[in-house]
Amino acid sequence: MKARRAWAAAAAAALLALGPRAAAACAVCYGAAGSPMVDGMNNAILVLLGIVALVQGGLVALFFAIRQRSRDLERRRGEFEVLQGGVR
């Protein structure tokens, strides 16, 4: 059983290695410097990085706001009393 798997893996590797190289990569992968496809892909990467940075910045701002509110609550803890009892 193990021998069959080894032969199947070797055959698959040989087929992949002997496959056509023309289908291996596009102009973006090869890095054709003047290609509009490369420029578009670079711009798309920059936009996506900007969106990720914006979301992360929002999360950091949220955590700072939560921390500030918790500090304010700690400072004002003695100002209010919790009423004992309930509705009568």
Side-chain angles (χ1 to χ4, degrees):
M1 190 65 153
K2 288 183 181 181
R4 274 191 193 168
R5 285 186 191 167
W7 278 105
L15 286 175
L16 287 174
L18 298 174
R21 290 291 176 194
C26 61
V28 174
C29 300
Y30 281 129
S35 173
M37 189 186 306
V38 172
D39 292 337
M41 188 62 68
N42 287 338
N43 290 336
I45 290 169
L46 290 176
V47 167
L48 289 176
L49 284 173
I51 290 171
V52 168
L54 185 69
V55 170
Q56 285 181 346
L59 286 173
V60 168
L62 173 73
F63 289 130
F64 276 125
I66 290 172
R67 186 177 81 176
Q68 184 64 38
R69 285 184 181 199
S70 68
R71 285 182 178 176
D72 289 344
L73 266 175
E74 287 295 323
R75 272 189 243 130
R76 289 187 282 152
R77 181 167 279 210
E79 295 177 16
F80 299 103
E81 286 183 26
V82 177
L83 298 177
Q84 298 297 324
V87 178
R88 294 179 192 207

